[in-house]
Amino acid sequence: MRKPHIKTDLPGPKARELLARDALVVSPSYPRDYPFVMSHGKGAQVWDVDGNRFLDFAAGIAVCSTGHSHPAVVQAVKDAAERFLHISSDYWHEGQIRLAERMNQLSPIKGPVMSFFAQSGTESVEAALKLARYVTGRGRFLGFLGGFHGRTMGSLAFTSSKYTQQKGFFPTMPGVTHVPYPNNYRPLFAGADQGQAALRYIEEELFLHSVPAGEVAAILVEPIQGEGGYLVPPDGFLAGLRALCDRHGIFLIFDEVQSGVGRTGKMFAAQHWDVEPDIMTLAKGLGSGLPIGMVVARRSIMQKWTRGAHGNTFGGNPLCCAAALATLDLVEHQYSANAAKVGEYFMKKLHAVAAKYPIVGEIRGKGLMIGMELVTDRASKIPAKKICDALITRAYHNGLILLACGQSTVRFMPPLLITEADVDEALELLSHSLDEVLASEHPAASRGVAAG
């Protein structure tokens, strides 16, 4: 396969020099999969320091929602930077107020909402948890196996997509009980509807035997699970959670850090099922690359926080608010619809890939939040982790930036501005990379033969 955009061995000489410098001074804790050293980017394309060009279908972990350095976002940041860089949350500025007003208009929560500002998803989750405890006076929470909500000690108590994230940090925040996230492809419960089975497990087992419902402050859930495998819940599950919370006076918190801001073809993933949370957390794609997080809650909840109950020095930073306002305008008027349209095209093309490769167990997702789970064979559904890891690395060498999730799922989360032509190029690179990996694992195997 010709790779005209890859001009050097990977990593190239400049990248190798920077990697050597990095190894001496930067924490080794970052889970880096392959040696991509970025120089610059534009739209859905990125270049490394050696001049090699890549198609970016990771978007900084779903952060660069409007693509790399979108002119409107860059201009908004420049304009804000010329006025002032920081004022702190002890004071007011119009950009923060405008962004809160904008969220009041866009939120999936019917009725007025108020917002709290942070810099990241984990900070947003921490704030949401504190808000729920403060307002309800309750101390317990429910989370879901496979969930990812951050790495600070409160959010880490919920994070369970990989045990390595908690390894070495026990004890985390007490009071969190995990429930299986419904997965019809890999069912844990009896019955065809895993969503309803999970709801019954909460109501008829946990609440009856070990977790007093009256002590639960909130249930924290990703409307579409991210790091756990890009799992789309069965229809009725989120509505069932809403009803369960209403019965017991429990707050429902939707973590839309990865799924929000147009990623799934709607502004928020919850809107696919028309279910309202009480509290919602945002970050990642909200600022198109600038660090910003938000907690959005019903006004009746948020206004119960008293002065000094929570704060954040950099929350509501003027540059980040300007980037978020520009991002929301672009997503609302262009890119959410594009994510729905191109995402549908992408899914059809991926199903065609699955028809050729038995190693592909399932294609799932909404909009441009798509997962392709790899298995040793479709009967056993044993995760093909080795193949998945090799494919991610091989795709990089062929000029395609990807990341994995779950045990063996390739996730596609490109900028929301991608075109069908971008998808076609990505799928050509993906198919070629998969052929190379399968040939390497099983030299005698021909294309289309499952491997594990």
Side-chain angles (χ1 to χ4, degrees):
M1 179 182 181
R2 288 181 64 251
K3 296 174 285 185
H5 300 298
I6 305 299
K7 302 175 180 178
T8 71
D9 291 336
L10 296 178
K14 293 181 180 178
R16 290 196 298 271
E17 179 186 352
L18 287 167
L19 292 168
R21 289 166 56 188
D22 175 277
L24 298 175
V25 293
V26 176
S27 169
S29 65
Y30 297 110
R32 291 159 167 169
D33 291 327
Y34 45 81
F36 172 69
V37 182
M38 186 165 174
S39 166
H40 63 283
K42 182 178 181 181
Q45 301 178 76
V46 292
W47 285 262
D48 72 7
V49 291
D50 292 289
N52 299 299
R53 173 265 195 191
F54 302 80
L55 194 60
D56 186 4
F57 269 49
I61 318 182
V63 166
C64 300
S65 51
T66 60
H68 293 278
S69 299
H70 192 288
V73 177
V74 171
Q75 189 60 53
V77 172
K78 286 181 177 179
D79 292 344
E82 289 179 349
R83 293 190 291 270
F84 60 100
L85 298 179
H86 175 71
I87 188 60
S88 96
S89 56
D90 287 330
Y91 305 101
W92 292 259
H93 67 87
E94 186 179 4
Q96 182 178 14
I97 297 167
R98 285 180 56 210
L99 181 52
E101 290 172 338
R102 195 86 170 85
M103 198 54 63
N104 188 46
Q105 297 169 347
L106 294 173
S107 167
I109 302 171
K110 296 180 177 64
V113 301
M114 302 180 82
S115 295
F116 177 87
F117 294 81
Q119 295 90 55
S120 65
T122 193
E123 288 178 303
S124 299
V125 170
E126 293 279 350
L129 300 177
K130 288 181 69 176
L131 177 62
R133 272 190 171 173
Y134 189 92
V135 174
T136 64
R138 301 176 178 186
R140 295 180 187 257
F141 293 91
L142 296 187
F144 287 86
L145 294 173
F148 184 93
H149 301 282
R151 298 175 187 269
T152 48
M153 295 303 276
S155 62
L156 183 62
F158 292 83
T159 291
S160 59
S161 52
K162 295 182 180 69
Y163 77 83
T164 53
Q165 293 147 351
Q166 289 212 16
K167 184 179 180 181
F169 298 109
F170 183 83
T172 57
M173 184 187 80
V176 179
T177 300
H178 287 85
V179 178
Y181 192 91
N183 182 350
N184 283 342
Y185 184 66
R186 295 184 180 280
L188 289 177
F189 296 107
D193 192 329
Q194 292 296 292
Q196 293 303 311
L199 293 169
R200 288 198 305 273
Y201 174 73
I202 295 171
E203 192 91 63
E204 299 172 12
E205 296 295 328
L206 286 183
F207 286 174
L208 183 62
H209 297 292
S210 65
V211 180
E215 295 183 5
V216 176
I219 296 177
L220 174 63
V221 64
E222 296 165 277
I224 296 177
Q225 200 171 78
E227 295 282 340
Y230 272 33
L231 300 180
V232 179
D235 290 342
F237 172 65
L238 296 179
L241 273 182
R242 175 72 274 170
L244 183 150
C245 287
D246 290 341
R247 283 196 298 274
H248 297 284
I250 298 169
F251 288 159
L252 180 59
I253 305 174
F254 281 170
D255 183 336
E256 292 254 15
V257 167
Q258 187 164 171
S259 61
V261 194
R263 172 58 49 191
T264 67
K266 292 184 181 291
M267 185 59 76
F268 304 105
Q271 292 170 323
H272 286 283
W273 296 277
D274 195 27
V275 177
E276 296 180 51
D278 299 296
I279 304 169
M280 175 176 67
T281 61
L282 299 172
K284 288 193 182 292
L286 179 60
S288 289
L290 269 72
I292 184 169
M294 293 180 73
V295 180
V296 182
R298 299 184 191 278
R299 183 186 293 168
S300 60
I301 296 172
M302 185 78 78
Q303 67 185 2
K304 292 180 180 178
W305 251 354
T306 58
R307 183 177 183 269
H310 195 44
N312 190 300
T313 299
F314 291 100
N317 174 270
L319 276 64
C320 297
C321 287
L325 284 164
T327 298
L328 291 172
D329 282 344
L330 290 165
V331 170
E332 182 184 16
H333 298 125
Q334 300 178 51
Y335 296 145
S336 182
N338 188 68
K341 175 178 175 291
V342 178
E344 183 179 1
Y345 176 83
F346 198 176
M347 290 278 281
K348 288 179 180 178
K349 290 286 188 174
L350 282 171
H351 280 294
V353 171
K356 297 178 182 177
Y357 296 93
I359 195 171
V360 179
E362 185 177 51
I363 305 294
R364 53 182 176 255
K366 287 186 180 293
L368 291 173
M369 187 175 183
I370 301 172
M372 180 179 77
E373 184 164 351
L374 304 182
V375 294
T376 59
D377 64 85
R378 290 175 180 168
S380 70
K381 300 181 183 179
I382 296 172
K385 186 179 188 312
K386 184 179 178 183
I387 295 292
C388 183
D389 292 344
L391 175 59
I392 297 297
T393 301
R394 192 67 238 155
Y396 155 69
H397 283 276
N398 286 327
L400 178 62
I401 300 294
L402 294 172
L403 290 172
C405 62
Q407 294 187 71
S408 60
T409 296
V410 180
R411 54 174 157 169
F412 304 98
M413 45 184 169
L416 306 184
L417 50 62
I418 65 159
T419 65
E420 293 180 358
D422 293 327
V423 169
D424 291 339
E425 180 185 352
L427 288 173
E428 181 183 2
L429 295 170
L430 179 74
S431 295
H432 182 70
S433 301
L434 188 51
D435 286 339
E436 289 181 326
V437 169
L438 293 177
S440 175
E441 290 293 315
H442 297 271
S446 62
R447 178 178 174 176
V449 176

